[in-house]
Amino acid sequence: AQSVSQHNHHVILSEAASLELGCNYSYGGTVNLFWYVQYPGQHLQLLLKYFSGDPLVKGIKGFEAEFIKSKFSFNLRKPSVQWSDTAEYFCAVLRRALTFGSGTRLQVQP
Amino acid sequence: NAGVMQNPRHLVRRRGQEARLRCSPMKGHSHVYWYRQLPEEGLKFMVYLQKENIIDESGMPKERFSAEFPKEGPSILRIQQVVRGDSAAYFCASSPPGSHMLEAFFGQGTRLTVV
């Protein structure tokens, strides 16, 4: 079945550690890819998106993601996390509508 | 420009009652999408509406669930005869004409608890 997979369900890091969250999708052809963040009690906010062009995408708050077509991946990275990055992160693919992965809960310890 | 507004934020219903969830899209947005988030799961697409039209309801349960987006007023997601399994967070998103979900903004959600 076509899907979006996020293999890390819960990640715990210390402040200043580097972050990489995995996202794989199983759709063929052209895809539009997104990362959203959901802070506790808040709505989903767009971190970054990829439509075409440079496969390395810069987003808000120091986040970036790399689209690797051969691996069907769109991993999210941040060189140095902060306590305020504690949130749930969702990868999504746009087909008929946004299809989301199951999310990764990131906990950053001070 | 206010964001996507959902109300109520929290809704408690007894089994068998009806739940009505409202979503007011951002100003100028004509597309509305409803998603459901079950505990420990990601968001699942339910339905896509434009003014007075259901465009894609492939994610809607076949029974008890309905959605509308009238010419005037908010979009409504209606759940009849709620059951415990309907307990979830329901999110609405909106996007401007012509963009589909390339420029989607989400509301804060309605957390439905069925007791």
Side-chain angles (χ1 to χ4, degrees):
Chain A
Q2 296 177 330
S3 67
V4 180
S5 299
Q6 292 182 244
H7 303 293
N8 313 104
H9 296 294
H10 192 189
V11 173
I12 303 174
L13 294 173
S14 298
E15 276 193 313
S18 64
L19 170 72
E20 181 160 3
L21 301 182
C23 173
N24 289 91
Y25 61 94
S26 60
Y27 301 97
T30 302
V31 288
N32 300 124
L33 297 156
F34 304 76
W35 275 98
Y36 281 84
V37 61
Q38 186 178 26
Y39 297 104
Q42 295 191 26
H43 61 283
L44 274 80
Q45 299 175 40
L46 181 65
L47 273 179
L48 48 80
K49 57 189 176 184
Y50 170 79
F51 293 164
S52 63
D54 188 344
L56 186 61
V57 181
K58 302 285 187 185
I60 61 171
K61 304 187 181 187
F63 287 91
E64 65 179 30
E66 185 175 12
F67 170 57
I68 303 179
K69 189 174 181 179
S70 60
K71 295 185 177 180
F72 295 87
S73 70
F74 190 56
N75 292 355
L76 182 71
R77 299 196 293 247
K78 185 170 184 178
S80 175
V81 295
Q82 301 172 310
W83 177 79
S84 57
D85 293 324
T86 295
E88 191 149 17
Y89 293 80
F90 294 95
C91 180
V93 173
L94 179 59
R95 301 292 288 183
R96 294 166 69 177
L98 282 172
T99 300
F100 287 87
S102 56
T104 297
R105 192 177 303 274
L106 172 65
Q107 184 179 344
V108 179
Q109 296 176 331
Chain B
N1 187 5
V4 178
M5 304 300 291
Q6 289 188 249
N7 67 83
R9 291 291 308 280
H10 300 274
L11 182 61
V12 179
R13 284 287 176 267
R14 295 187 184 279
R15 280 179 295 172
Q17 290 185 319
E18 178 180 285
R20 279 180 178 248
L21 288 64
R22 287 176 289 278
C23 170
S24 296
M26 288 181 69
K27 188 176 181 180
H29 286 194
S30 57
H31 301 192
V32 166
Y33 312 82
W34 284 94
Y35 282 79
R36 176 166 63 176
Q37 184 179 29
L38 294 168
E40 305 300 320
E41 292 188 22
L43 285 81
K44 304 294 185 189
F45 169 74
M46 299 181 75
V47 62
Y48 162 32
L49 309 107
Q50 294 180 19
K51 286 282 188 182
E52 300 183 282
N53 283 303
I54 296 174
I55 307 302
D56 182 347
E57 57 181 348
S58 57
M60 286 281 269
K62 294 289 185 282
E63 297 177 345
R64 303 187 296 108
F65 284 71
S66 62
E68 63 176 9
F69 187 17
K71 188 176 180 181
E72 301 290 338
S75 175
I76 306 287
L77 179 67
R78 182 181 177 206
I79 311 172
Q80 295 178 291
Q81 299 173 329
V82 295
V83 300
R84 289 249 170 89
D86 296 332
S87 295
Y90 292 82
F91 290 92
C92 169
S94 73
S95 64
S99 74
H100 192 26
M101 292 203 83
L102 295 173
E103 301 285 341
F105 293 83
F106 283 81
Q108 290 186 289
T110 293
R111 299 194 183 277
L112 172 65
T113 302
V114 179
V115 296

